[in-house]
Amino acid sequence: LLLDRLDEADRATAVWPAVITFLAQAAIRLTDHDALDAVEPLVAEYDGFNLVVGQCVTVLGSANLLLAQIRALRGDDDGAEAHFDKVLAANDRVRSAVHRAETLARYAAFLHERDHPGDHRRAGQLRQDARALAEPRAHQRVLRLVVEPRGAQELPDDLTPRELDVLRLLAEGASNKQI
């Protein structure tokens, strides 16, 4: 791991927030749990703060967005939601439409993947809100994130898995007896 080669002197540099941001993003994208174990405590030190490189040269966004994604990958849905809510509140406080759009898009992806009752409906609304912020700004990364996920259902979210199975069987032409 790159983290194994970094020391306290690296942590004292103005680029340290960028280092941990890029490492966390790579670990999330690769679903590398060993790297997540190493980088999560480093990101958690910035819980509640925006990660900034140098003298506000580059604002990377809230550490909580990274923590939300890490928690989601670990299966900690409650922790993920708490961090998503925290970062949305932070985005509102600083009036960052660009960061809010990305947070909404990633929150929508989390909800779609989690698939609890009501999640698909809420994810659809979050994607719509993200798109409304991203389109006027030509924010291509967010616009790619808010594409309707494959397999997105137009069915009510409050159906049970069995009810969805019955609907699929009916759509395939199965009779009552076959169902």
Side-chain angles (χ1 to χ4, degrees):
L1 276 175
L2 175 60
L3 279 171
D4 296 334
R5 295 189 304 239
L6 300 173
D7 59 25
E8 287 301 315
D10 295 306
R11 292 178 73 148
T13 68
V15 297
W16 180 248
V19 170
I20 63 170
T21 297
F22 300 142
L23 288 172
Q25 289 173 338
I28 290 164
R29 180 76 174 181
L30 298 170
T31 317
D32 182 335
H33 289 278
D34 291 334
L36 290 171
D37 290 342
V39 77
E40 182 179 14
L42 301 173
V43 176
E45 292 177 24
Y46 295 88
D47 186 344
F49 294 97
N50 277 319
L51 295 164
V52 178
V53 178
Q55 299 295 324
C56 292
V57 173
T58 303
V59 179
L60 301 168
S62 175
N64 292 95
L65 181 57
L66 297 170
L67 293 169
Q69 293 173 89
I70 290 169
R71 290 288 165 198
L73 285 173
R74 294 188 182 288
D76 178 5
D77 293 348
D78 293 339
E81 280 200 285
H83 283 293
F84 276 121
D85 291 339
K86 198 171 188 178
V87 70
L88 285 172
N91 291 338
D92 288 344
R93 278 194 308 277
V94 297
R95 295 184 179 100
S96 177
V98 170
H99 290 112
R100 181 172 179 80
E102 182 169 358
T103 301
L104 291 168
R106 295 198 184 277
Y107 201 170
F110 160 74
L111 292 172
H112 182 80
E113 181 71 25
R114 183 177 72 174
D115 197 23
H116 286 180
D119 280 354
H120 284 207
R121 184 175 306 128
R122 186 161 177 228
Q125 183 61 52
L126 293 176
R127 275 193 302 278
Q128 184 178 349
D129 293 349
R131 191 176 298 109
L133 290 169
E135 283 178 345
R137 293 165 179 82
H139 194 332
Q140 295 303 310
R141 181 175 56 207
V142 170
L143 292 173
R144 284 190 301 271
L145 288 171
V146 296
V147 172
E148 195 69 26
R150 280 182 268 145
Q153 300 174 4
E154 294 297 323
L155 300 170
D157 287 314
D158 53 353
L159 292 177
T160 67
R162 177 64 184 147
E163 289 168 331
L164 288 173
D165 289 340
V166 169
L167 285 175
R168 283 188 197 101
L169 291 168
L170 286 171
E172 293 168 6
S175 68
N176 284 343
K177 186 174 183 179
Q178 290 171 317
I179 294 171

